[in-house]
Amino acid sequence: FCILYFKTHPMSEYIHIGKIVAAHGIGGQIIIEHALGKPINFKGIEAIFVEKNTASFIPYFITSAVAKTDTLTHLQIEGIQNREATQILISKKVWLPQAEFQQLVDKSSPLALLGYMVQQNGIDLGNVIEVIEQPHQLMLTILYQGQEAYIPLHEESLKGVDHAKKTVTVLLPDGLLDLYTSV
């Protein structure tokens, strides 16, 4: 079973979309595994941002991209000409600026909920800062009264998603949010 984490970068408007999983061929192509919900050719996207460490990204400019599946894309990037040069990139996280992420993500992908406002009974609880995919439910992380709070999404708790208004309407179990406000 697999748990995937996707979140916005705290110091910027970047979205974690996946990671570089392997080299392909001998010409320096890389394979990106992403959770954008559909085949992606990165059309109109100049660069991907590869995480160097927690606070810094390095832009790599795309010269070509070919979607292989709903989750895998082969990329050729500037400056990477051979298989050996790809080794520094393998297993690194890949990020996109929020505007470019919004162009690419499938609206039915759980990742599309990043940045949406979670509401219950018409009251704003907090913006989604992280999406955690688990086998039987999604878990959204929001900032609730200054604390990170985990909101389970499954058929009983999810009441609706409005993509136009960028809201997720929930009905949470009594007392769940109290866990994040008691001292």
Side-chain angles (χ1 to χ4, degrees):
F1 96 97
C2 177
I3 298 177
L4 298 172
Y5 294 88
F6 297 95
K7 68 189 300 178
T8 55
H9 193 268
M11 298 175 47
S12 63
E13 291 299 313
Y14 288 88
I15 306 282
H16 173 216
I17 63 161
K19 70 178 185 176
I20 298 168
V21 293
H24 178 71
I26 58 170
Q29 274 196 338
I30 56 172
I31 301 173
I32 292 181
E33 183 175 29
H34 62 80
L36 294 167
K38 62 184 178 183
I40 298 296
N41 287 320
F42 290 89
K43 185 174 173 68
I45 308 299
E46 273 188 45
I48 58 170
F49 292 80
V50 177
E51 187 172 288
K52 182 179 176 188
N53 55 44
T54 308
S56 73
F57 303 128
I58 299 172
Y60 284 93
F61 294 93
I62 299 168
T63 57
S64 70
V66 178
K68 292 297 183 180
T69 70
D70 284 357
T71 60
L72 297 175
T73 299
H74 292 192
L75 279 185
Q76 186 76 53
I77 51 181
E78 262 181 34
I80 305 294
Q81 306 298 328
N82 56 50
R83 192 175 189 88
E84 292 74 35
T86 66
Q87 295 312 302
I88 60 164
L89 299 173
I90 305 302
S91 298
K92 297 282 188 187
K93 292 180 181 177
V94 176
W95 299 72
L96 284 177
Q98 181 138 17
E100 293 179 354
F101 162 79
Q102 292 297 339
Q103 285 176 26
L104 295 180
V105 72
D106 186 306
K107 293 302 177 213
S108 66
S109 167
L111 211 49
L113 299 177
L114 283 170
Y116 279 39
M117 176 59 70
V118 175
Q119 297 178 328
Q120 179 171 254
N121 299 327
I123 298 168
D124 290 348
L125 301 179
N127 284 318
V128 177
I129 59 170
E130 182 177 35
V131 176
I132 304 168
E133 290 188 63
Q134 297 177 319
H136 302 292
Q137 70 179 7
L138 279 180
M139 194 77 87
L140 303 180
T141 306
I142 64 170
L143 277 181
Y144 179 70
Q145 298 182 1
Q147 300 288 321
E148 279 194 0
Y150 297 97
I151 307 297
L153 281 193
H154 45 75
E155 55 187 51
E156 284 109 41
S157 64
L158 178 62
K159 295 304 168 198
V161 175
D162 185 331
H163 292 292
K165 293 181 180 173
K166 296 192 176 212
T167 59
V168 178
T169 304
V170 296
L171 181 58
L172 300 175
D174 288 341
L176 178 70
L177 292 175
D178 297 340
L179 296 170
Y180 303 103
T181 55
S182 56
V183 179

